[in-house]
Amino acid sequence: MSQVWGVPAELDGQHVVALPRGTDVLALAGAWFAAAAWEAVPVASAPATRMAGARFRGVVVQEAAVATLGRLRLGDAGVLVGPAPSPDHDVYGLAEGGDRAVGWMTAAARRTGGLVVSPDRALSLVPDRNADVTLTLWSAEPMAAVDAVPLVRPALAGARLGPVDLPRPNGSADPGPQPFGVTAVFDYDGAVTLTMSRATNGPVVLGSLDWREHGPWAYRVTWEPLEPGELETETPSPLHVIARDRVMPSMARVVAALWRAVGGTVVDAGGFVVTSDELRDRATPHR
């Protein structure tokens, strides 16, 4: 592995994540760790040049650039060291940290199309970028079920819509906004469920945004396939992948319709903000 990426000795024995070259690793870290910050900023020096000497008739020799690895503090969860460059990736090692930091490395690799490698370099994983299909719109505006169902129905054409029971913390007699849920059931692809409820704690990434860009009302769109256990594996069956590819555009269109109606910020299952361009891409069938 070191021969493939040129991983320096400083990363030996560490969990490693390889992200596409130029990835903003601080932004990814800030989505999970509010206090993420560079303890030491990485420095990539320019290649040095020197004259080879008189007998070489003043030939200019260019020496390789020398990079100084940075240290990125992941709050109280650990320290990331890097990047060590490779042809297509920026490579980081986990100098300090435990399971939470390793979980972030996997989520970051999944988000960007990267790779994670075990400390002994015996195991490597390219997380499936489409494995986490859940999307949540965080908005300051609540919506009643009677308004939401006709809004999302075009994105779930042909599905059978039905109510989902959710706890009502304010009591059923409370005239204020109440949580609700509707489910679309597909014969071959499982069920897509939209729920809306008020949440006391949102994902960490919302703390980095202007307070006007989100709110406490969580519109969550989830998928339950016919074989739910396949959601837990990185190597699902072809039938699962086909079903997932069919429902993902519909899920994105549901979220897009809600976003246009009530505004807010969309966050994926990995805890990262989904841009409008990404949402548009998700809503486009690719098969």
Side-chain angles (χ1 to χ4, degrees):
M1 191 59 66
S2 295
Q3 293 178 349
V4 176
W5 292 339
V7 177
E10 291 93 323
L11 303 187
D12 284 351
Q14 300 177 10
H15 277 94
V16 165
V17 61
L19 305 175
R21 176 66 64 84
T23 298
D24 187 346
V25 68
L26 180 58
L28 290 174
W32 276 47
F33 310 106
W38 288 106
E39 290 183 342
V41 178
V43 177
S45 63
T49 59
R50 62 179 175 83
M51 300 297 289
R55 65 176 179 163
F56 294 105
R57 299 183 180 181
V59 174
V60 175
V61 177
Q62 190 174 65
E63 298 177 338
V66 179
T68 301
L69 303 184
R71 288 178 59 86
L72 177 59
R73 169 67 63 178
L74 305 176
D76 59 359
V79 174
L80 206 65
V81 175
S86 74
D88 300 310
H89 294 87
D90 292 332
V91 184
Y92 297 86
L94 185 62
E96 303 172 21
D99 292 344
R100 187 174 174 219
V102 173
W104 169 83
M105 296 173 83
T106 302
R110 188 184 308 281
R111 170 69 173 166
T112 61
L115 171 73
V116 290
V117 185
S118 63
D120 61 5
R121 307 297 184 257
L123 300 175
S124 63
L125 172 67
V126 179
D128 183 352
R129 297 191 71 175
N130 295 323
D132 291 334
V133 297
T134 297
L135 292 172
T136 304
L137 172 67
W138 293 88
S139 176
E141 298 294 332
M143 180 180 288
V146 67
D147 298 317
V149 171
L151 183 69
V152 304
R153 189 184 294 274
L156 300 174
R160 298 186 294 274
L161 295 173
V164 171
D165 291 331
L166 291 175
R168 296 175 178 265
N170 296 329
S172 58
D174 193 306
Q178 295 294 329
F180 69 83
V182 293
T183 295
V185 180
F186 301 90
D187 291 338
Y188 301 105
D189 297 336
V192 173
T193 297
L194 161 67
T195 61
M196 189 219 64
S197 61
R198 187 182 182 95
T200 56
N201 293 312
V204 173
V205 70
L206 296 181
S208 64
L209 306 177
D210 188 291
W211 64 271
R212 289 166 292 192
E213 298 179 20
H214 58 89
W217 295 97
Y219 296 80
R220 184 167 286 107
V221 181
T222 59
W223 175 50
E224 182 176 358
L226 296 180
E227 297 292 339
E230 296 218 59
L231 291 172
E232 307 301 323
T233 177
E234 292 289 343
T235 56
S237 69
L239 288 178
H240 176 91
V241 173
I242 291 170
R244 186 180 68 190
D245 289 343
R246 283 197 292 250
V247 300
M248 282 182 62
S250 296
M251 295 173 69
R253 289 195 290 270
V254 167
V255 174
L258 292 167
W259 177 73
R260 288 191 295 268
V262 298
T265 294
V266 180
V267 178
D268 66 15
F272 303 105
V273 170
V274 176
T275 67
S276 57
D277 287 343
E278 291 176 281
L279 194 61
R280 189 178 306 112
D281 183 66
R282 282 173 175 253
T284 303
H286 294 284
R287 285 179 178 263

